[in-house]
Amino acid sequence: MRTAPFAHGDIHDPAHQNRTAMRILLTGGSGRLGRSVAATLAARGHDVTSADLAPADTGPGVRSHTLDLLDESAREDLFAQVRPEAVVHLAGIAVPFARPDTEILDINTLLAWGVLAAAVRHGARSAVAASSPTVFGYGTAAWRPRYLPLDEEHPTAPRHSYGLSKVIIEETARTLARAEDAGCTLTCVRPGYVIAPEEWAGAPTQQGHTVAERLRDPELSAAALFNYVDARDAAELFALLAERPDLAATGGAYHAVAEDALALAPLAELLPRYHPGAAGPASALTGRRSAFSSALAAERLGWRAQRTWRTELVETVSEGG
C-alpha cells in the first residue's frame, strides 16, 4: 500500500496505519544523516529528542541536547529524563580514516554498547543502530566477493578499524538481544554513501567533492562500489525499524542502498577496472544495477529507496561529461 506523502516524500510504508506517536531518542542528530532522521521522525508524528556533541539544528518538533554520550552519568540522566520507547543510534565517527584507528574503534564501539545497553535497561521497545556496508571489506584491488550484488547473508570481512567497529556494533546488538529479559528488538541499518538533500544541488559530499564529480570521475565513487542513498530514504528505514519492531528480526542488519548505481556506465564494466578480483561476480551487474541488494528491507518492511541521482541531481551529467 502507498501512504500519503510525508514532508520528505512518499514511500511504500505498510506500517503507516498502525503507527502511533512514540518518544524517540536519537543520537547523532546533528550529522549528515542525523538531520534527515530527526526531521523524518518528527514529520511522522513522534516526540523526538536529539543528543549529540554538537548543537543540532534539527528544525521544529525536535528537542536538542548537547552532551558527551560516553559520559555514563550524563547518558543515564538523559535516558531517565526522556524515557524513550525507541532509540535510534547514529552517534560516532562516521567516516573511515577520519581519526586514528584506535580512536575510531574505541569511540564507535563504546558508544554503541553504552547507548544500546541503556535502551534495553530503560525499557525501550526498539533500538536501531547505524552500521555500514564497509563491513564487507571492499576497497582494494584484491577484494573478491563471493557474489554480487552483496546482501546481508554475504560474509563480513572488514579491512580497517571503521569497518571493524561496525561489525562490533552489529554483534553488540545481537549480544544484547540474546538476553532473555531484553524485551527490546535491536537491529542495525547499513546505509550506503549518504547524500544529504543539499548535496544534490552542488554542496560537497562527505569526501569534499560533489555528486556530479563522483559521476564524472568513476575513481571517486569506485572505492564505495558506486553505492549511495539519499539521507531521507535511509531515515525512513530507521523510522520503520523503530516503529515496527514486530516486523524485524532482532539482531538483524538491513541494507539501505539505492537500487541503481552512482555511475554512468554499468558496474559490469566499471567494477573490473577498479576491483579486478570482483570481475567474475560483477558480470551480473548489468544496466543500472547496484552492487548491493536491499531486498531484505523491502521484504520485511516494504522499504525501497525512492530517490536516485537521476531524479534528484540538479546538474545535468551525461556520459560525455
Side-chain angles (χ1 to χ4, degrees):
M1 148 182 115
R2 300 282 294 175
T3 69
F6 293 108
H8 294 288
D10 197 9
I11 190 168
H12 187 108
D13 180 4
H16 173 51
Q17 290 188 340
N18 298 312
R19 185 167 68 239
T20 57
M22 304 171 68
R23 294 186 305 278
I24 299 182
L25 175 61
L26 166 66
T27 73
S30 66
R32 167 177 277 98
L33 175 58
R35 294 191 298 272
S36 286
V37 173
T40 295
L41 291 172
R44 293 165 79 91
H46 299 300
D47 180 0
V48 184
T49 299
S50 171
D52 207 330
L53 275 175
D57 182 13
T58 50
V62 181
R63 287 181 298 279
S64 178
H65 289 252
T66 304
L67 75 156
D68 182 358
L69 287 160
L70 289 173
D71 182 326
E72 184 175 0
S73 177
R75 187 175 64 239
E76 283 298 304
D77 287 347
L78 176 69
F79 271 84
Q81 177 181 340
V82 175
R83 296 178 296 112
E85 297 167 282
V87 173
V88 177
H89 175 56
L90 310 180
I93 298 171
V95 181
F97 312 114
R99 302 273 284 273
D101 287 338
T102 53
E103 289 186 26
I104 292 174
L105 196 59
D106 285 350
I107 291 171
N108 285 356
T109 57
L110 288 172
L111 276 172
W113 182 272
V115 170
L116 297 181
V120 173
R121 191 166 56 254
H122 285 266
R125 298 200 301 266
S126 61
V128 52
S131 182
S132 165
T134 60
V135 297
F136 295 118
Y138 51 79
T140 67
W143 179 68
R144 284 177 168 77
R146 293 190 182 179
Y147 54 83
L148 290 171
L150 297 164
D151 60 18
E152 293 85 351
E153 296 299 318
H154 192 286
T156 59
R159 70 177 185 90
H160 47 55
S161 68
Y162 177 81
L164 176 60
S165 77
K166 295 302 184 176
V167 170
I168 294 173
I169 288 171
E170 292 184 8
E171 193 56 48
T172 296
R174 287 189 283 269
T175 298
L176 291 168
R178 292 185 191 109
E180 293 182 4
D181 58 347
C184 178
T185 299
L186 296 110
T187 55
C188 292
V189 174
R190 297 171 179 168
Y193 186 87
V194 173
I195 299 178
E198 65 274 13
E199 292 167 8
W200 296 119
T205 66
Q206 66 183 22
Q207 291 184 331
H209 43 257
T210 68
V211 177
E213 288 169 339
R214 288 178 75 83
L215 283 165
R216 292 194 184 100
D217 183 356
E219 188 172 2
L220 295 176
S221 200
L225 302 186
F226 304 93
N227 83 72
Y228 72 100
V229 68
D230 186 289
R232 296 162 294 183
D233 282 338
E236 295 285 357
L237 182 53
F238 279 96
L240 284 167
L241 287 166
E243 293 164 354
R244 291 298 305 275
D246 57 302
L247 297 178
T250 191
Y254 298 84
H255 288 177
V257 181
E259 292 180 356
D260 70 334
L262 190 66
L264 298 176
L267 296 196
E269 300 175 17
L270 290 175
L271 278 182
R273 188 188 312 171
Y274 299 99
H275 301 275
S283 63
L285 303 178
T286 56
R288 299 178 174 182
R289 198 171 186 188
S290 168
F292 296 85
S293 169
S294 297
L296 184 62
E299 175 188 336
R300 295 281 179 83
L301 296 132
W303 179 92
R304 287 180 176 85
Q306 302 294 298
R307 302 164 180 87
T308 75
W309 67 265
R310 292 177 173 85
T311 63
E312 303 300 314
L313 187 63
V314 172
E315 184 177 351
T316 300
V317 179
S318 65
E319 290 194 55

